[in-house]
Amino acid sequence: MTVEASVTIPGETTSRVALTDAAVELLSKLWLVHGPLMFHQSGGCCDGSSPMCYPAGEFITAEADVLLGVLDISEAAPTEAGEGGRLIEFWMSREQFEYWRHTHLTVDVVQGRGSGFSVEAPEGKRFLIRSRLMG
């Protein structure tokens, strides 16, 4: 089972981003430590295929970024009464999106530490993108 993101790009009807069960499990744990979270996928070298996970708002997005979807992990990580849902925005740099516009991205988890400042690093795991052509 995967969690599919909501559709956020005007004119589109299909989700572009999903989470594996392993990703949802890790994100639920990270949410308890860091609070609301967000992803950003840049086109940098090194970990270009690894999305970076930050506390929501810690990475500033702008017109140079595209919101690919909003992932809801509330079902896997129930919220307290009165608390909002557990929504995670997934952003990508516009330049990177031009290369990946025909792909569906699935965020998965693998053992090992990536480089960068992603919040899962201390867990000895890293997020990884698995992609397939959209059809």
Side-chain angles (χ1 to χ4, degrees), residues 46-134:
C46 307
D47 276 348
S49 66
S50 296
M52 296 290 127
C53 184
Y54 302 100
E58 189 170 294
F59 185 95
I60 305 301
T61 58
E63 289 183 23
D65 300 293
V66 177
L67 178 61
L68 294 188
V70 178
L71 300 142
D72 187 350
I73 63 166
S74 300
E75 194 170 308
T79 58
E80 308 243 346
E83 185 181 32
R86 296 193 182 214
L87 304 177
I88 301 173
E89 293 181 345
F90 191 102
W91 293 86
M92 179 179 278
S93 70
R94 189 169 301 282
E95 182 178 4
Q96 184 78 349
F97 180 65
E98 291 305 314
Y99 293 108
W100 291 49
R101 74 170 36 256
H102 301 293
T103 59
H104 178 276
L105 309 177
T106 301
V107 180
D108 200 359
V109 176
V110 293
Q111 289 295 119
R113 290 187 58 160
S115 62
F117 301 100
S118 195
V119 295
E120 81 280 3
E123 303 295 322
K125 299 178 181 184
R126 68 185 177 98
F127 291 110
L128 178 77
I129 291 293
R130 300 190 189 282
S131 62
R132 64 176 168 76
L133 287 176
M134 292 178 76

